[in-house]
Amino acid sequence: MLLELFNKPVGFFLLAMAIILITPLLSERLRLPGIIGIIIGGMLIGPHGFGLMEAGDRIEFLATIGLVYLMFSAGLEVDINQFLRVRGRAVVFGIITFIFPQLMGMGLGYILGLDFLGMVLLGSAFASHTLIAFPILTKFGVTRNEAVAVTTGATVLTDIGAFIVLAVVLGARTGGVSLGYFVQLIVLLSIFALAIVFGLPRLGKFVFQRISGRAVEFQFVIVTLFVSAFVAELIGVHEVVGAFLAGLAINATLPRHSPVIGHVLFIGESFFIPVFLLYSGLITDPLTFLKSPQTIIVAIGVTIVAYVSKFIAAWITARIYKYTKSEFWTVYGLSHAQAAVTIPTLVIGLETGLFDSTLFNAAILMILLTSITSPLLVQRFAPDLKTAEPDEEVLPLFGRILVPVADSKQSEGLISLAGLLANSSKGKVLAVSVPRDMGIEKDRDSSFTLHKDLLGRVTEMLNDPETEIELIPRLAASHAQ
């Protein structure tokens, strides 16, 4: 009876939210990242645990949205100017962290007796990586560090490369690969990236100048995100590529601490991204390696390739660009987690017969291990990172900000700006309304009541419960007085 209730919408949502709420608190008590708690929680309630939740279409749908949100938030957190400055380094690291895992994965496939297409597909499963530990960087406020920007940019390159390999393998499997296919894919991808990165900011500025209201602005950002992800799928690459590019474009359109961006990220970070982590736990069988000695051997080989290949790539990049010890380990921690592209690659390999169940289960175990060690490394070394531009250090310049409130429509922009400035230094907004005292008792009371009501709407205009605000009504013969 209880299992049936958990499969219904209310029980399903209750169980998911309970895991998302409780497991991070428990794991943090053990000094582990909250991400790990959600993954382990998914394993416990999943089909390989107590069987309370199935890894079916419903949770897979929500997890896909969470993955899109994860890459979108990564794009939003990138400093555009810094990203443009390090794009060359991002390309170098992207090539290195793609080539080494690809070649080592093909070598492992050769040892396991796979055919050539199976070897290539297995290599692509190692070549990409997932920024599963990125929320930890956001928590510590070090996303503007150069090494982090390089790793984030390289993620898009490795994901694109892995899905191009996947498309080529599937095409070769069905006899549909040709030179024209490659040219078409590259041209479409280039046009799409240019349209998103350069066209979307102009469209966004045009729209935001002509619409008003937080709800409409929020809806525009959401539509933009999923249109980008949808078009990415149409041209033959994964939706995460479009989501990341949309994040970069919105980042160039709206202020970094815009309330609209805050609302978008709040939904993703509080629900959809944790659901993706929960799903990663649901599909993982932690005891799969005990089923046969062969699975243990394959699991060891897969795990060694995953860790060693990404370590070599991160070490070479750190030596080339003279990164600090903390930057090197953070880059390695971010780039060795396997989930987003690896999971669909493994599923497709199993469905097409290129992989057997032993290799699939061994690779799923590797995903679990890397999903645990990646947040651990990032949480250990990320606090020691420094941002690339010390002159942008936030100074407590806005402890108290005085805002005149005369008309609700005209004052909304001032209130929003004051809230952003106050939040930057944990300051206070002082909203002052001054009705004029003309000496007539009746007019004075009416004017004073009107301005008190106007001040009462200031909190609604600000729409940010974390900002401290003080409402000050004053009555005087003139505003200057």
Side-chain angles (χ1 to χ4, degrees), residues 269-292:
E269 293 172 356
S270 61
F271 180 67
F272 286 112
I273 294 176
V275 167
F276 167 70
L277 301 173
L278 179 65
Y279 177 73
S280 299
L282 288 176
I283 63 175
T284 303
D285 183 1
L287 302 179
T288 185
F289 65 95
L290 297 179
K291 295 178 179 179
S292 69

Side-chain angles (χ1 to χ4, degrees), residues 3-42:
L3 295 180
E4 293 179 359
L5 289 176
F6 280 136
N7 286 325
K8 293 183 177 180
V10 174
F12 170 84
F13 191 80
L14 170 62
L15 184 59
M17 289 305 300
I19 295 297
I20 291 172
L21 171 66
I22 297 172
T23 54
L25 299 176
L26 295 177
S27 62
E28 288 173 0
R29 291 290 297 270
L30 299 175
R31 297 185 178 181
L32 296 174
I35 292 173
I36 295 179
I38 298 176
I39 295 174
I40 295 178

Side-chain angles (χ1 to χ4, degrees), residues 113-191:
L114 302 181
D115 59 21
F116 181 74
L117 290 180
M119 292 164 51
V120 174
L121 188 62
L122 181 60
S124 71
F126 295 107
S128 64
H129 56 262
T130 303
L131 299 178
I132 200 169
F134 195 85
I136 297 175
L137 297 173
T138 304
K139 175 183 175 183
F140 287 121
V142 294
T143 56
R144 297 167 68 88
N145 179 271
E146 179 192 299
V148 173
V150 168
T151 308
T152 305
T155 303
V156 178
L157 298 177
T158 58
D159 286 353
I160 291 174
F163 276 100
I164 288 176
V165 171
L166 177 60
V168 170
V169 169
L170 293 179
R173 188 79 173 171
T174 58
V177 170
S178 64
L179 179 60
Y181 170 82
F182 285 109
V183 174
Q184 176 183 338
L185 183 62
I186 293 173
V187 170
L188 288 176
L189 186 58
S190 300
I191 295 174

